[in-house]
Amino acid sequence: MSFDPELAHLGVYDARAPRYTSYPTAVHFHTDVGAEFSMSQIRALPVDKPVSIYVHIPFCERLCWFCACRTQGTKNKSAIAHYLNVLLREIEMVRAALPAGITIGKIHWGGGTPTILSPDQIRLLSLALQKMAPRHENFEFSVEIDPTLVSAAKINALAEMGMTRASIGVQDFDPNVQAAIGRKQSIETTLACVKMLRRANIHSLNMDILYGLPHQTVETVNATIDTVLGLSPDRIALYGYAHVPWMAKRQKLIPDDALPSGQNRRELFDVMAAKLESAHYAPIGIDHFAKADDAMHIAAKAGKLRRNFQGYTTDDLDTLIGLGASAISKFPNGFAQNAAKSADYAEAISKGKLATYRGIATTQRDRMIARLIEMIMCDFRADFAALANEYACEMTILAKPILQLQRDFGRYIKFSVDGFEIIHHQRALARIIARRFDVYSDDVENRFSSVS
Ligand code: SF4
């Protein structure tokens, strides 16, 4: 993303915008949406379309300072066992409500640290999920793995239960950077984890790396990328660190003055991206890279890349049922989020009700704009003809933002009768352009991360 003075003048590099892993974004969820909404959505799911399942395990043994995920630090095995029992009860409630004949296309375990579960707990949870509904023929099962909290027995249990993809958190291998973000993880530990996964025949690996961390330099990020390339993951997510200590309290432990400036962040991303591309990883969307034969690259080339709460995905299923504390469900007609605190979540489930505490019911116009934003974030283009075909709703709402885009970013976007394509500085502009179509967008700017 080479520097452009005109974009700098327009404030693009300093702008903050949602990452648009959903539309409307979660800041617009409200408490009018509760358990009744979720239950009615689950009961009405069409049986001819498989559903995805997300399972949230909120516990971590270590609490990394940079992390803004919903996590709870614990080494208390009985707290984890209690949570698992609640989760099993929630799974049974959803199973009982699912229409007969529905299948499960994908399951993802995230957190937190799913590998905090013991091998027996992994089997118990997986078997309960298997009983919910039969697996679709193209079934995938992915799990977020913490290399510092995993063992061959846990990986073997996951493989036995059908795990097809592992996502490994790396962030950065430099010891100074790791010390500044409160996350120690040696190269040897990560390598041992990769070897265990390969031995268990899990060959589809994703690695998460961060740029914009304290003390990162061109030299340190080059070294991290070299090590990551040596581990040969299929996909790499290269996320910008979002420093929002007013929202994620642990980030107060990270010294502001050790963070790279906006211009340095761009330089770090460019260096890492160039290195990945020269190693034949194709850029995908704003922050992913994948090998040529990886399903994500194939989906992106075919215009079938999608975006959900986990970021970019090949999951094109309309429904994602979120299970566990703070998990978000995406239904055909809206979003619903479970109570964020484990105690509140457990209390709701103990009363025999789903734990939904907020969400939003969407209109056809919302769903049309959601798809438009997804096109911009995934393909850097908009296809109005396809939108008009798929969503029978009023499109005049798009006229004003289109005129504004022509005025502000005319030389970066190619317009046609049927849509537009971002032709320059796609990464910098995608979230800003997407936001122009966001009718919920308001003054909550400081909740969002920098676009560069
Ligand atoms: S980065 Fe992973 S291990 Fe660290 S606090 Fe976040 S979820 Fe837990």
Side-chain angles (χ1 to χ4, degrees):
M1 187 170 60
S2 56
F3 182 75
D4 182 315
E6 192 174 322
L7 286 182
H9 177 69
L10 289 167
V12 165
Y13 298 128
D14 298 320
R16 290 175 177 269
R19 299 181 62 79
Y20 287 114
T21 53
S22 74
Y23 177 82
T25 60
V27 294
H28 298 290
F29 292 0
H30 51 75
T31 52
D32 292 349
V33 167
E36 296 73 23
F37 173 82
S38 298
M39 196 44 101
S40 65
Q41 291 289 304
I42 293 170
R43 288 200 174 114
L45 287 173
V47 293
D48 57 340
K49 292 187 178 167
V51 297
S52 287
I53 305 284
Y54 171 76
V55 181
H56 191 71
I57 308 293
F59 304 105
C60 297
E61 279 199 359
R62 57 177 176 175
L63 288 178
C64 315
W65 303 341
F66 71 91
C67 180
C69 296
R70 291 259 178 210
T71 55
Q72 260 173 268
T74 189
K75 292 190 178 181
N76 181 341
K77 291 197 170 25
S78 64
I80 297 167
H82 173 64
Y83 180 84
L84 183 58
N85 281 336
V86 178
L87 197 49
L88 296 177
R89 228 177 133 186
E90 184 188 22
I91 290 170
E92 175 51 27
M93 282 160 61
V94 173
R95 186 204 63 73
L98 280 172
I102 208 160
T103 56
I104 296 179
K106 289 187 167 61
I107 294 181
H108 181 83
W109 294 8
T113 308
T115 49
I116 204 167
L117 299 178
S118 71
D120 284 344
Q121 288 173 327
I122 287 170
R123 287 190 190 91
L124 195 62
L125 176 56
S126 193
L127 290 172
L129 291 166
Q130 282 179 32
K131 278 192 207 137
M132 278 179 92
R135 292 175 171 185
H136 189 261
E137 55 186 6
N138 299 322
F139 177 78
E140 284 185 17
F141 174 22
S142 52
V143 181
E144 291 169 18
I145 308 270
D146 181 348
T148 69
L149 192 58
V150 79
S151 63
K154 291 181 183 188
I155 287 177
N156 289 340
L158 286 166
E160 190 190 314
M161 293 294 118
M163 177 168 69
T164 53
R165 177 181 301 282
S167 185
I168 302 178
V170 168
Q171 323 313 345
D172 191 292
F173 280 122
D174 185 84
N176 285 334
V177 176
Q178 290 190 357
I181 61 171
R183 182 187 169 96
K184 253 178 92 177
Q185 182 174 315
S186 70
I187 294 173
E188 293 71 27
T189 301
T190 309
L191 178 62
C193 174
V194 169
K195 282 185 175 164
M196 283 190 273
L197 287 163
R198 302 248 194 252
R199 245 182 256 128
N201 279 325
I202 312 299
H203 289 292
S204 188
L205 298 187
N206 171 84
M207 286 189 183
D208 291 346
I209 311 173
L210 283 176
Y211 70 93
L213 293 173
H215 305 305
Q216 277 184 331
T217 64
V218 168
E219 290 71 35
T220 66
V221 298
N222 262 323
T224 289
I225 294 287
D226 280 337
T227 307
V228 167
L229 289 174
L231 300 171
S232 192
D234 304 87
R235 293 177 197 172
I236 293 166
L238 181 50
Y239 295 123
Y241 166 59
H243 192 61
V244 284
W246 54 92
M247 288 172 63
K249 303 278 181 258
R250 291 198 296 266
Q251 292 184 352
K252 288 185 178 163
L253 295 164
I254 295 181
D256 290 355
D257 57 4
L259 293 169
S261 67
Q263 190 177 334
N264 287 344
R265 278 173 70 96
R266 287 193 298 280
E267 191 185 359
L268 292 172
F269 180 89
D270 288 347
V271 164
M272 295 163 105
K275 214 169 171 77
L276 291 172
E277 287 182 55
S278 67
H280 307 293
Y281 283 81
I284 311 270
I286 59 168
D287 51 19
H288 275 55
F289 296 82
K291 287 182 177 173
D293 59 352
D294 182 77
M296 185 170 277
H297 182 232
I298 293 166
K301 271 179 57 178
K304 291 185 172 173
L305 188 66
R306 291 289 180 268
R307 199 153 168 83
N308 67 14
F309 298 107
Q310 281 95 55
Y312 289 109
T313 176
T314 57
D315 182 350
D316 61 353
L317 307 180
D318 292 337
T319 301
L320 171 74
I321 301 176
L323 302 167
S326 81
I328 301 177
S329 297
K330 177 192 174 198
F331 295 118
N333 298 312
F335 297 94
Q337 181 169 25
N338 276 350
K341 288 187 182 156
S342 298
D344 296 342
Y345 160 72
E347 192 188 340
I349 299 292
S350 73
K351 290 179 181 157
K353 282 180 69 178
L354 292 179
T356 310
Y357 91 106
R358 66 171 193 163
I360 191 165
T362 51
T363 63
Q364 186 74 341
R365 187 190 72 177
D366 290 334
R367 294 188 282 276
M368 183 272 289
I369 293 177
R371 180 69 194 115
L372 168 61
I373 287 177
E374 190 178 47
M375 285 175 178
I376 295 168
M377 296 295 293
C378 293
D379 308 322
F380 302 119
R381 56 188 282 279
D383 184 340
F384 298 144
L387 290 173
N389 197 27
E390 193 174 343
Y391 301 89
C393 68
E394 189 54 69
M395 305 279 284
T396 49
I397 192 166
L398 305 183
K400 191 172 162 198
I402 290 168
L403 283 174
Q404 289 174 343
L405 287 178
Q406 284 169 332
R407 180 195 65 201
D408 297 342
F409 300 116
R411 87 181 174 86
Y412 301 92
I413 305 174
K414 190 169 143 198
F415 291 91
S416 68
V417 186
D418 283 338
F420 64 79
E421 189 179 350
I422 311 173
I423 46 176
H424 297 302
H425 298 274
Q426 298 171 326
R427 237 195 103 246
L429 286 172
R431 287 160 68 187
I432 291 169
I433 291 174
R435 195 174 185 185
R436 294 291 177 98
F437 294 98
D438 181 347
V439 298
Y440 292 85
S441 193
D442 53 21
D443 57 355
V444 288
E445 188 99 2
N446 71 353
R447 295 185 194 221
F448 305 126
S449 59
S450 160
V451 300
S452 61

